[in-house]
Amino acid sequence: MLRIAIDAMGGDFGPEPIMEGLIAALKKNNNFTAIAVGKKTELTPLIPQSLLSRIEILDTDDVISMSDSATDALKRKNSTIYKAIELVREGSADAVVSAGHSGASMSLATLRIGRIKGVNRPAIATLMPTSENQNTLVLDVGANVDSDAKNLFQFAIMGQVYAQYALRLDEPIVGLLSNGEEDSKGNEVTKEAYKLLSSIPNFAGNVEGSDIFKGTVDVVVCDGFVGNILLKTAEGVADTIGKIIKKNLKRSLISIAGAVLMRKVFKNLKVRVDYAEYGGAPLLGVKAPVIIAHGKSNPKAIQNAIFQAINAASSNLDNIIEQRLAKYSSIEEN
């Protein structure tokens, strides 16, 4: 049975939504147990009697706040995220989920759990909604602000493996984010990356930003600086569209009546753009699954982040990524 370590104190709203999400996940899935890392006196009252046997508490009250430096986490060995990461490193847990300081989670995972052999830099991947009934996996969205062509090549391999074995997609198609579809477009890094990526199966070439939301490809690869801007822009656009719709619906009785008739459509739209539906972003390239959830995660987001961790831990991703990178190692060296 899988064991998932949870940084139970790291989110913006304290332990309540995190524990509520964990409890919901445990009720829906009987194939895992959890280790909640946090202050025992605060966590124990949040656990129903029926689930006490499936949730172990590792007691500590030090929390890395969003205002702290990521490097602080390396020194504060009693912090919740440090102890959660150590559980995975020691083999006491199979995966870790945290809605806390993302920089601390990345740094500790990279240094304490370690990188998969052949991976130069881990990458954060996230799912973007599309106009079709599917999602596009985009990476990197923030782990690396400066990436070279070999980094992008490795991101593509890791993203393709994750899409195939964790998301259960057959032969996922990969695209390279650029400012045009032609192979002549892009900066020097993307042009060099294009040559490397041309050697992998199901590489569709360059894609533009709009292709992410059309579902043209399954995996989109980009630099972490560009990817993070893309992610924050997409979140902002979704929020703005929602506010515009709400404001205009209140302007007349006809609009209100139309909104009532369109309730199901609006509900489906909300589901498609809600980050809680995807839970968190996997940090690909480390030896065990690390899921980084949004700091403002609600219980549903935490529940889905835990399900992501379970899927990843059940998929032997680290070995598959290592084998896939070894297969293409000669291409990177040329």
Side-chain angles (χ1 to χ4, degrees):
M1 183 174 287
L2 293 175
R3 302 190 81 193
I4 309 299
I6 311 291
D7 176 3
M9 311 287 288
D12 293 355
F13 306 119
E16 286 83 2
I18 296 173
M19 294 303 292
E20 189 177 334
L22 170 58
I23 290 163
L26 286 164
K27 287 179 177 178
K28 288 187 177 181
N29 188 320
N30 294 318
N31 297 319
F32 81 100
T33 59
I35 306 173
V37 185
K39 196 170 183 178
K40 190 170 185 176
T41 54
E42 291 187 31
L43 300 184
T44 302
L46 301 174
I47 304 173
Q49 192 73 25
S50 60
L51 290 175
L52 284 174
S53 62
R54 294 181 62 194
I55 303 177
E56 176 186 338
I57 297 176
L58 181 57
D59 189 24
T60 186
D61 59 2
D62 183 20
V63 181
I64 304 295
S65 71
M66 298 302 179
S67 60
D68 291 328
S69 168
T71 55
D72 288 345
L74 302 174
K75 307 169 189 174
R76 291 163 58 179
K77 297 184 179 181
N78 285 318
S79 69
T80 54
I81 184 57
Y82 193 103
K83 283 184 172 291
I85 292 288
E86 284 297 291
L87 287 170
V88 176
R89 180 176 182 267
E90 296 164 358
S92 300
D94 300 290
V96 61
V97 173
S98 175
H101 196 305
S102 58
S105 299
M106 287 186 290
S107 298
L108 285 169
T110 303
L111 293 173
R112 301 301 297 169
I113 298 175
R115 291 172 294 172
I116 295 170
K117 184 179 180 181
V119 173
N120 294 332
R121 294 185 183 184
I124 300 175
T126 193
L127 290 167
M128 293 283 194
T130 73
S131 55
E132 304 298 324
N133 189 26
Q134 62 186 63
N135 298 298
T136 301
L137 185 72
V138 181
L139 71 163
D140 178 25
V141 294
N144 308 280
V145 294
D146 292 299
S147 304
D148 60 25
K150 290 183 179 180
N151 296 146
L152 295 179
F153 176 78
Q154 291 182 0
F155 297 166
I157 297 296
M158 294 190 294
Q160 198 171 48
V161 169
Y162 188 83
Q164 183 175 355
Y165 292 94
L167 302 181
R168 308 290 193 264
L169 298 180
D170 293 330
E171 300 183 352
I173 301 169
V174 178
L176 177 64
L177 188 62
S178 189
N179 61 332
E181 295 180 355
E182 300 83 3
D183 56 11
S184 59
K185 292 291 182 72
N187 56 27
E188 293 305 312
V189 172
T190 55
K191 287 178 182 177
E192 185 179 348
Y194 187 102
K195 295 176 183 177
L196 294 174
L197 288 169
S198 296
S199 63
I200 68 172
N202 299 319
F203 175 55
N206 287 337
V207 295
E208 299 180 10
S210 60
D211 290 305
I212 294 171
F213 305 100
K214 292 177 184 176
T216 307
V217 295
D218 301 303
V219 180
V220 170
V221 178
C222 61
D223 175 86
F225 179 78
V226 173
N228 193 256
I229 293 173
L230 166 67
L231 176 63
K232 298 295 173 57
T233 301
E235 289 176 349
V237 169
D239 184 57
T240 300
I241 290 174
K243 289 178 179 177
I244 291 172
I245 291 173
K246 285 182 180 179
K247 186 178 291 185
N248 282 278
L249 287 177
K250 297 176 182 178
R251 288 187 173 178
S252 71
L253 290 174
I254 294 176
S255 296
I256 294 171
V260 172
L261 296 172
M262 295 281 285
R263 275 183 303 180
K264 187 173 182 179
V265 173
F266 289 136
K267 185 178 180 180
N268 289 338
L269 175 63
K270 184 179 179 181
V271 167
R272 296 292 295 142
V273 300
D274 187 2
Y275 73 88
E277 293 293 326
Y278 313 113
L283 180 65
L284 300 182
V286 292
K287 293 179 180 178
V290 175
I291 307 297
I292 299 172
H294 201 293
K296 294 180 172 58
S297 289
N298 58 25
K300 186 175 186 179
I302 296 298
Q303 172 190 280
N304 287 328
I306 291 169
F307 290 157
Q308 276 207 58
I310 292 169
N311 285 339
S314 304
S315 303
N316 196 28
L317 289 175
D318 53 341
N319 288 330
I320 299 171
I321 288 172
E322 182 179 337
Q323 292 168 11
R324 195 74 63 88
L325 287 172
K327 177 180 177 182
Y328 294 104
S329 59
S330 60
I331 295 170
E332 289 186 81
E333 292 168 3
N334 292 333

